[in-house]
Amino acid sequence: MIIKYETLYNTFKEILISRKLSEDRANILAKIFADNTLDGVLSHGVNRFPRFISYIDKGEIDIDIVPETTFIFNGMVRMDGKRGIGPINAYIAMEKACELAKIYGISIVALANTNHWMRGGTYGYLACENNLIGICFSNTTANMVAYNASEPKLGNNPLVIGIPRENKAHVVLDFAISQYSYGKVAQTNLEEKKLDVPGGYDTKGNITNDPAEIIKSGCLLPIGYWKGSGLSLVLDLMATVLTAGNSVAKIKSFGDEVGLSQIFIAIDPNKANTKDMTNKLIDDVLSDFSSAKPFEGKRVSYPGENTIKRREANKASGVEIVDSVWDEIMALKKEH
Amino acid sequence: MIIKYETLYNTFKEILISRKLSEDRANILAKIFADNTLDGVLSHGVNRFPRFISYIDKGEIDIDIVPETTFIFNGMVRMDGKRGIGPINAYIAMEKACELAKIYGISIVALANTNHWMRGGTYGYLACENNLIGICFSNTTANMVAYNASEPKLGNNPLVIGIPRENKAHVVLDFAISQYSYGKVAQTNLEEKKLDVPGGYDTKGNITNDPAEIIKSGCLLPIGYWKGSGLSLVLDLMATVLTAGNSVAKIKSFGDEVGLSQIFIAIDPNKANTKDMTNKLIDDVLSDFSSAKPFEGKRVSYPGENTIKRREANKASGVEIVDSVWDEIMALKKEH
């Protein structure tokens, strides 16, 4: 089924309003879920929306919770997310970081006790739309092993870095520290294929690209092996210390992946530069990067480049959505 | 030959003073080269020292250059390194970031037009010794390929993140974005071995752990393939835009690896926490991390853990140094 962006947005908003969300909150959430869908991230867009609503319908999430500022010192803020709606908390935190970066040049908001932010890229794009560099990361439950370890003690702690461009073709890096998600490994196994690159250990500790072996061991590896292992750990340390919130280990002890710690940093590149300078510096780097000769049959692309292409194509012609998913969403409309 | 730390430090200092460096600068540099040696990073310590002095002796570097502050706005500073001594410039930049983080909570110093900082970890430890979280990165010349690319357009842009601990066993991540350095690939090739994990492309664009094939193609891969490819690019973009300095592409055009762009961020975790809180939060994360059961015959360690062990052992019994290297250093003493 092909659905236009406006229909997605309006439908999400109508359903959210029917669940008693305020107009403001419904606007933000409908935009996040519709934008993620438009960008081709359906797993954190339309496909995820029914589960999001089911948490509200079961009363598992208090829709009115507003993160509380528990500490502020110049461009440094700590907030308690009070286990409120993850994307709303993260949106508010990055907005605050943007506001403060415009005042101080650089800012940091540490958000404790929050929930899954859906797609991290959302908050990178939010900083970019404010003409700011945005850096954010979240910890997660323990879902990845350290290099040499046979049991998962690390989170795949997604890391986002957004670089704003005047033409809106922002460079937004958005990745988890595991080489592959568990979902990708499971899907590749179902398709009886091998992973393109090694993704985990087998049960004996050999590095493998066989998804069946990785599922058996439960050992997803970080990017760069020992390097990503260290990166995941220091992201968790920063998130935990700066929020005084929950670490990966603590979150794992909760069973459900809740009460996360997230960091939002914003930097204003146009305090010292004119906008034209910033744009030229970025354009020159990207133009050199894109001039790299690819291997035969391959393409070289910068983070966010394919997203923009998908976004534009989907905006023009609508997004292809699985019929049963859209039926589910239509049912959510009728339920209220 | 076994050399004690004090002898290393005093010898480096004497040689630097003999080359007309000021007392202050000789102290900083002697400490950096001696500490790197003590920590087992001989490549950026004693082994590198003769080359460093040869640049001075040939008049290729002006020893008195002081980075100039060209922009300051609250906790945000831009400096022009004027192609001065790399480790001195970086040291001054991180010291300034530390000073400002204590005032503002978070700070950033963007250092344009500098030279090789030797070991990035030095500046991570510097932040940690100030009880601050330190994040720094440098761009480099183009020495690594993007995912799918057949020619190097990316830098391996070393990234450092330091987390301070009261017991001084700081967690300091210090890595280049390439999976392996060119030196490691060349050494493995000489030993007629394979790399432990894939490190580059062969000439046809297949991912390989055969160092001979990687040397033929000249294509070192980033950590995490497409992920590190994006990370390297955004680090270069941030360094270039925030310094308004040279990008990887520009540096490559110079031929020599000079005029680098570097970023130094410091964050004070003890603005919102008591020191005891910070310590307990860190200790708990590390204790869970270290409890992970390793695969048979393997060890799990956090970034900096092995460094501390080497440092303590070397402090007690002296550092093993290749005879010819020490002879070369003794000769530098006599030359003046």
Side-chain angles (χ1 to χ4, degrees), chain A residues 133-136 159-163 171-174, chain B residues 231 234-235 238:
Chain A
I133 293 172
I135 304 172
C136 51
L159 171 64
V160 176
I161 303 181
I163 313 284
V171 181
V172 179
L173 179 73
D174 174 6
Chain B
L231 182 57
V234 298
L235 292 181
M238 281 197 280

Side-chain angles (χ1 to χ4, degrees), chain B residues 63-239:
Chain B
I63 57 171
D64 293 319
I65 284 175
V66 178
E68 183 192 353
T69 297
T70 54
F71 178 82
I72 181 155
F73 181 80
N74 299 311
M76 175 179 245
V77 168
R78 178 180 284 172
M79 289 179 179
D80 179 356
K82 300 180 173 182
R83 299 213 184 170
I85 298 175
I88 292 276
N89 279 352
Y91 194 92
I92 290 171
M94 187 51 106
E95 271 203 322
K96 180 49 117 180
C98 291
E99 182 194 321
L100 291 171
K102 284 178 183 164
I103 299 172
Y104 290 97
I106 183 168
S107 67
I108 182 166
V109 175
L111 174 64
N113 220 7
T114 188
N115 283 311
H116 197 304
W117 65 12
M118 296 296 126
R119 170 190 178 207
T122 298
Y123 318 100
Y125 281 105
L126 178 59
C128 290
E129 289 296 315
N130 282 283
N131 299 310
L132 299 170
I133 292 172
I135 303 173
C136 50
F137 50 93
S138 178
N139 64 5
T140 65
T141 193
N143 54 21
M144 188 177 83
V145 294
Y147 189 61
N148 288 337
S150 68
E151 50 176 343
K153 291 282 189 186
L154 292 174
N156 66 2
N157 305 347
L159 171 64
V160 176
I161 303 180
I163 314 283
R165 299 178 74 197
E166 198 159 33
N167 66 5
K168 305 286 180 196
H170 309 305
V171 181
V172 178
L173 180 72
D174 174 6
F175 69 64
I177 308 299
S178 58
Q179 185 66 60
Y180 290 106
S181 66
Y182 190 83
K184 172 73 180 174
V185 171
Q187 181 60 31
T188 307
N189 188 45
L190 281 176
E191 293 168 4
E192 299 185 343
K193 292 183 184 160
K194 301 284 184 224
L195 298 164
D196 287 342
V197 299
Y201 287 123
D202 67 16
T203 53
K204 288 177 187 130
N206 301 304
I207 292 168
T208 181
N209 66 350
D210 182 339
E213 291 295 326
I214 297 170
I215 290 167
K216 252 187 260 169
S217 73
C219 293
L220 284 176
L221 269 165
I223 58 167
Y225 310 91
W226 53 93
K227 295 188 174 189
S229 188
L231 182 57
S232 164
L233 182 69
V234 298
L235 292 181
D236 185 38
L237 282 168
M238 281 197 280

